[in-house]
Amino acid sequence: AYTPAMPKLIVESVGTFEVPLGKRLVNALEDEAGVDQLHACGGQGRCTTCRVEFVAGEPGAMTAQERATLTAKGLMEQKGTRLSCQITCDADMSVRAVSRLAGSGRKDAGPRCADVVEPATV
């Protein structure tokens, strides 16, 4: 399958950005798109504050951690709702940034997420 060298990330009402191949979506939202994306647990896939809604290009695969958390929080039924900390940018994708620091009442977005998806994909 063709993989673009720099996948396009379209963030609804924000813009279109080229992101490094394999970059975590949560970090691309902050670094490339300049979005005040929440990630309270620091990218461990536990808290759902990093969730996004996919408009297009939703990855077919899901980490076991993401599946467990979305199931536990009752979010699996919400079509397109995913955890940005558990997704790498390996194709063009279009998302809505629905969980942002602005208006959340939190003091900060959370600790910087590591460059690789944690916990390790199984």
Side-chain angles (χ1 to χ4, degrees), residues 17-71:
F17 309 89
E18 286 194 334
V19 299
L21 184 65
K23 184 164 189 161
R24 284 178 91 172
L25 178 55
V26 65
N27 290 338
L29 285 165
E30 286 194 312
D31 300 346
E32 278 73 27
V35 171
D36 56 338
Q37 180 67 45
L38 288 172
H39 41 79
C41 77
Q44 301 295 315
R46 291 192 307 258
C47 73
T48 74
T49 61
C50 73
R51 71 187 173 280
V52 294
E53 291 174 2
F54 270 86
V55 177
E58 180 178 349
M62 184 180 286
T63 66
Q65 182 66 45
E66 182 181 18
R67 186 175 308 282
T69 299
L70 288 175
T71 300

Side-chain angles (χ1 to χ4, degrees), residues 24-120:
R24 284 178 91 172
L25 178 55
V26 65
N27 290 338
L29 285 165
E30 286 194 312
D31 300 346
E32 278 73 27
V35 171
D36 56 338
Q37 180 67 45
L38 288 172
H39 41 79
C41 77
Q44 301 295 315
R46 291 192 307 258
C47 73
T48 74
T49 61
C50 73
R51 71 187 173 280
V52 294
E53 291 174 2
F54 270 86
V55 177
E58 180 178 349
M62 184 180 286
T63 66
Q65 182 66 45
E66 182 181 18
R67 186 175 308 282
T69 299
L70 288 175
T71 300
K73 304 273 188 177
L75 295 170
M76 277 300 284
E77 298 76 42
Q78 291 185 22
K79 186 169 161 27
T81 296
R82 297 290 297 270
L83 302 183
S84 65
C85 78
Q86 296 292 298
I87 294 170
T88 53
C89 296
D90 51 15
D92 294 351
M93 49 185 69
S94 178
V95 300
R96 270 183 215 105
V98 294
S99 187
R100 299 173 72 160
L101 179 60
S104 71
R106 294 175 179 270
K107 68 177 185 347
D108 58 44
R112 170 83 182 174
C113 299
D115 290 337
V116 296
V117 171
E118 304 170 303

